[in-house]
Amino acid sequence: MQEPQITPDLIASHGLSPDEYARILEIIGRTPTFTELGIFSAMWNEHCSYKSSKKWLRTLPTTGPQVICGPGENAGVVDIGDGQAVVFKMESHNHPSYIEPYQGAATGVGGILRDVFTMGARPVAAMNALSFGMPDHPKTRQLVHGVVEGVGGYGNAFGVPCVGGEVRFDPAYNGNCLVNAFAAGLADADKIFYSAASGIGMPVVYLGAKTGRDGVGGATMASAEFDDTIEEKRPTVQVGDPFTEKRLMEATLELMQTGAVISIQDMGAAGLTCSAVEMGDKGGLGVRLNLDAVPVRETAMTAYEMMLSESQERMLMVLNPDLEAEAKAVFDKWDLDFAIVGETIAEDRFVIEHGGEVKADLPLSKLSSEAPEYDRPWVPTPTAEPLGEVPAVDPIDGLRALISSPNYAAKQWVYEQYDTMVMADSARTPGMGAGVVRVHGTGKSLAFTSDVTPRYVKANPVEGGKQAVAEAYRNLTAVGARPLATTDNLNFGNPEKPEIMGQFVGALDGIGQACSALDMPIVSGNVSLYNETDGAGILPTPTIGAVGLLAADDEMIGCDVRDGHVALMIGECGGHLGQSALLAEVFGRAEGDAPAVDLDIEKRHGDFIRDNRALITACTDLSDGGLALAAFELAEAAGVGVWLDSGDMGTLFGEDQGRYLVACNFDKAEALMIAAGRAGVPIKSVGKFTSDSVWFGQSGAPLAELSAIFRNSFAETFA
């Protein structure tokens, strides 16, 4: 088969700029082969090289006494004591999920699970953060069904509990949904496996499922905007098989016990190309691959297709040659492919052979460490105009507007399609704050949450970035967990637009400040740019996934609200309605500034909650919808009414930060108020949980009526 001629159009179709192609010519001193062009395209695209974001990612705090491994590996690793570690990461599968919702979401789940067990950890929890266009948009219903079914179809079959996440709707996502997948696993802290190759002449081994043509060019597609050619991109979406992945996990974890693994890497974006290059580059070695040995499931595959395929359920390993027989026996037992496809070499070369010909011969280090890095022009987001007058609404009508919106209605239609209890260690499942999973065989538990408020980030990227981390901190604190560390999934539009790049720079500034102040370093993450369709970008959506530790069984704060409990608010209420949920859902307005985040206050209030957990029966943070929505959700979950003594809109629906709503018996409430006085923490009684109605000041409605709206609205929209 004759290779295509390298033309400007072909170069552009590979996502390479004229300057980048000129740099390739300078590096190799000749015209690249078609396969070499594909390899450079894969390694130098935004998705793999982070060429627009590296400068700013380096500013994030990534270390701490709890951090065993920060960014740069398949996933981050954090110490949880007793020789154990939690391994976790969040990644996007946005573009594939918009093109092919079921497989795009399913393979996003599969990819993030592989990132975790490639490090030697058994997955114990999953989450997902989903952003869709408006419910009345013609594509939204199909996307919601496909994505939710894809997440559930893969995760349920694989057998990992989904313990949390979020679902939002906004017109900015009409042409570009977001699917951010999180996974966490447990490992022995002294048995973590890394990807840096070592040793010259060591066998490079292909593991798992066979290679097909699905996903060819997927990484390049994920680094481009959408337009009216979107349907042509369908072949770039991978196809997943969770049952094969389950076998691959068991085989990989068993293989790691043999001592045969020198280094190991998941085949994710850019498949064989990226995994081989990253392993070689981290180890300062070259790699020679013989593609004739690669297991394939389609005939007449070219070197270009094999190197860029993103077929799922595959790994690449550098093997201890003395243990080849033992390693192969493990994969034979699990009926998975095990093929020696190359070797490590001393020279800085990436050599690809196929059919007796050299299809690529490139300086390996130039593909990874020497990828382009841009300092994109950026402009700060203008200061938001002050919020104009907000007309008064009946407080119960305001609550009805929130709980009937798909943004704030109960999401059980979504999470009931996920297995939340598999493995039998889930202590708190989706629906009320952070998820909690017991660390099997110990008294410890891990808490998980995913948070961001995109409208805040758009209005004020710095405060919005701080708030995403602060809300994650509060959600972990509200279940009694000590926040440990974070992973980020930075979803933005086209970074070549200075205003979009300004959003990115501002958000990372805020995220970095909050992670430092709250001792929650970023240990892994993902950047997803070019989330635009026909030039219209998404809301800036830097999702924060966070993990916290409960050191003993009795540390978890429940949500067991009962009739007669006092409702106490921790923190000050300033009635901030700018960019609030009330403003968006009742008035259709996105105006004013984001609420300010005082990180010292966040830390002080969080420490107070954890230090006084024994006095607290139930706790939730105050965020979207303010006190009104938080009080209703606590009451509704317990099936008891609530009375708040104020009917003021700012008091009820303001979204000032650093606040919690606490429920407890009267005697415990008194003790908590005394403790707060000593700690200098603002606290006040705002009402009580009682009877079977919801009252805000003089406005009330039966709990049963409001509960029906809350529980049924989402399903009525999408079922």
Side-chain angles (χ1 to χ4, degrees):
M1 176 179 171
Q2 188 170 359
E3 290 197 341
Q5 184 179 357
I6 307 298
T7 65
D9 285 347
L10 187 67
I11 294 162
S13 71
H14 280 72
L16 293 163
S17 70
D19 287 346
E20 288 168 345
Y21 183 67
R23 187 168 176 175
I24 291 169
L25 295 179
E26 182 182 334
I27 288 170
I28 65 176
R30 56 177 170 79
T31 301
T33 66
F34 183 51
T35 301
E36 289 173 336
L37 183 72
I39 289 169
F40 270 109
S41 165
M43 292 305 302
W44 285 13
N45 68 56
E46 197 72 57
H47 195 71
C48 293
S49 73
Y50 295 92
K51 59 190 176 186
S52 296
S53 57
K54 275 192 289 194
K55 169 184 169 71
W56 302 102
L57 295 176
R58 293 191 190 102
T59 67
L60 293 173
T62 59
T63 59
Q66 71 273 45
V67 178
I68 295 172
C69 176
E73 279 292 338
N74 287 291
V77 186
V78 173
D79 191 348
I80 61 168
D82 308 311
Q84 293 178 302
V86 59
V87 179
F88 64 96
K89 190 181 186 182
M90 180 175 262
E91 279 205 342
S92 60
H93 234 220
N94 303 336
H95 284 52
S97 298
Y98 191 75
I99 297 167
E100 179 56 69
Y102 184 94
Q103 290 297 347
T107 52
V109 173
I112 201 67
L113 289 168
R114 281 196 307 282
D115 281 336
V116 166
F117 68 74
T118 303
M119 302 288 291
R122 181 174 290 275
V124 296
M127 296 190 295
N128 53 87
L130 312 177
S131 302
F132 299 104
M134 292 304 284
D136 58 0
H137 186 270
K139 197 167 170 85
T140 298
R141 185 181 174 84
Q142 174 213 353
L143 289 170
V144 170
H145 276 262
V147 166
V148 171
E149 289 166 14
V151 168
Y154 203 102
N156 296 353
F158 180 87
V160 63
C162 182
V163 298
E166 50 188 344
V167 186
R168 71 176 55 83
F169 299 86
D170 189 275
Y173 305 106
N174 280 345
N176 199 131
C177 66
L178 302 183
V179 175
N180 294 175
F182 170 99
L186 289 168
D188 291 337
D190 61 351
K191 292 181 180 139
I192 305 298
F193 288 82
Y194 299 100
S195 59
S198 63
I200 297 166
M202 294 294 157
V204 175
V205 183
Y206 174 112
L207 306 169
K210 289 178 167 54
T211 294
R213 290 187 172 92
D214 53 317
V216 172
T220 301
M221 173 273 292
S223 302
E225 296 181 31
F226 285 146
D227 54 27
D228 56 10
T229 65
I230 184 171
E231 289 302 316
E232 298 170 16
K233 296 181 172 71
R234 194 172 297 274
T236 62
V237 178
Q238 312 92 327
V239 177
D241 179 353
F243 299 105
T244 297
E245 176 120 328
K246 177 71 169 174
R247 287 185 290 125
L248 178 62
M249 178 190 73
E250 297 296 351
T252 301
L253 295 178
E254 188 175 331
L255 175 70
M256 288 167 169
Q257 302 304 310
T258 68
V261 179
I262 293 175
S263 63
I264 190 163
Q265 176 76 35
D266 161 44
M267 279 197 230
L272 195 52
T273 291
C274 195
S275 54
V277 169
E278 287 192 5
M279 290 174 77
D281 187 61
K282 288 175 184 174
L285 296 169
V287 174
R288 177 183 288 110
L289 297 180
N290 175 15
L291 300 188
D292 295 333
V294 171
V296 295
R297 54 179 159 82
E298 299 186 44
T299 59
M301 287 190 72
T302 65
Y304 177 95
E305 290 170 329
M306 279 193 267
M307 291 306 296
L308 298 187
S309 167
E310 293 183 9
S311 294
Q312 297 291 285
E313 293 83 46
R314 302 180 301 157
M315 320 272 273
L316 201 64
M317 172 181 76
V318 176
L319 169 73
N320 178 345
D322 297 336
L323 295 172
E324 179 185 336
E326 291 89 335
K328 187 174 187 306
V330 170
F331 273 73
D332 286 347
K333 182 182 84 171
W334 288 98
D335 193 25
L336 292 164
D337 280 297
F338 177 102
I340 295 176
V341 297
E343 64 176 347
T344 59
I345 58 178
E347 300 80 18
D348 179 24
R349 311 300 303 169
F350 189 40
V351 181
I352 310 299
E353 299 169 349
H354 187 226
E357 297 179 14
V358 174
K359 295 293 186 181
D361 184 355
L362 300 168
L364 186 144
S365 64
K366 304 292 190 203
L367 292 166
S368 181
S369 302
E370 298 289 322
E373 181 175 336
Y374 296 123
D375 186 359
R376 303 273 190 202
W378 64 277
V379 294
T381 300
T383 302
E385 294 290 330
L387 177 63
E389 183 182 353
V390 180
V393 295
D394 180 276
I396 292 296
D397 287 343
L399 178 66
R400 283 194 183 97
L402 293 181
I403 62 177
S404 62
S405 161
N407 279 310
Y408 304 109
K411 305 296 193 304
Q412 76 270 15
W413 181 88
V414 175
Y415 60 73
E416 285 177 359
Q417 297 186 53
Y418 306 151
D419 193 333
T420 61
M421 299 300 293
V422 63
M423 301 173 74
D425 279 318
S426 301
R428 190 132 164 193
T429 53
M432 196 68 203
V436 179
V437 172
R438 290 179 288 268
V439 179
H440 198 73
T442 76
K444 297 180 293 192
S445 296
L446 291 167
F448 304 98
T449 186
S450 163
D451 297 287
V452 66
T453 309
R455 64 183 184 275
Y456 291 174
V457 186
K458 184 176 183 182
N460 188 328
V462 177
E463 292 301 316
K466 284 159 64 175
Q467 193 275 339
V469 178
E471 186 174 346
Y473 174 86
R474 291 198 302 270
N475 275 325
L476 296 176
T477 295
V479 298
R482 175 171 64 89
L484 285 178
T486 54
T487 180
D488 58 4
N489 204 147
L490 306 172
N491 309 273
F492 289 82
N494 184 344
E496 296 168 47
K497 297 177 178 177
E499 65 275 16
I500 300 295
M501 199 65 210
Q503 292 174 347
F504 185 87
V505 172
L508 261 70
D509 179 10
I511 289 168
Q513 288 184 50
C515 287
S516 293
L518 302 175
D519 193 22
M520 297 169 68
I522 299 271
V523 298
S524 59
N526 171 244
V527 179
S528 176
L529 303 177
Y530 295 97
N531 288 290
E532 301 204 359
T533 297
D534 295 328
I538 60 162
L539 290 177
T541 311
T543 309
I544 298 294
V547 178
L549 177 67
L550 292 146
D553 287 332
D554 61 357
E555 287 194 350
M556 188 167 83
I557 299 172
C559 51
D560 185 19
V561 176
R562 294 182 186 172
D563 195 332
H565 275 165
V566 179
L568 297 171
M569 185 177 72
I570 309 290
E572 298 280 10
C573 176
H576 185 97
L577 289 172
Q579 299 298 332
S580 65
L582 182 82
L583 199 67
E585 300 295 345
V586 175
F587 302 104
R589 292 163 57 185
E591 298 171 18
D593 202 353
V597 179
D598 185 317
L599 295 168
D600 291 336
I601 287 175
E602 294 284 0
K603 182 78 165 59
R604 188 182 316 126
H605 294 183
D607 289 344
F608 175 78
I609 293 288
R610 288 187 300 277
D611 290 346
N612 292 279
R613 72 183 86 221
L615 300 172
I616 298 170
T617 306
C619 181
T620 183
D621 89 304
L622 269 57
S623 52
D624 288 61
L627 176 63
L629 188 58
F632 169 77
E633 288 180 343
L634 267 187
E636 198 277 339
V640 65
V642 62
W643 169 75
L644 298 180
D645 56 20
S646 174
D648 176 70
M649 278 200 349
T651 302
L652 290 169
F653 297 102
E655 296 181 8
D656 304 274
Q657 300 296 294
R659 297 187 300 154
Y660 299 82
L661 179 64
V662 165
C664 55
N665 290 329
F666 184 82
D667 58 335
K668 298 284 180 70
E670 188 175 18
L672 196 63
M673 295 178 88
I674 292 169
R678 289 176 181 149
V681 170
I683 188 170
K684 66 178 291 191
S685 172
V686 292
K688 62 181 178 178
F689 295 92
T690 185
S691 73
D692 56 3
S693 296
V694 175
W695 285 89
F696 296 158
Q698 302 301 309
S699 177
L703 176 66
E705 174 205 324
L706 298 174
S707 181
I709 295 170
F710 182 60
R711 292 277 162 184
N712 299 330
S713 291
F714 196 96
E716 287 171 357
T717 302
F718 292 107

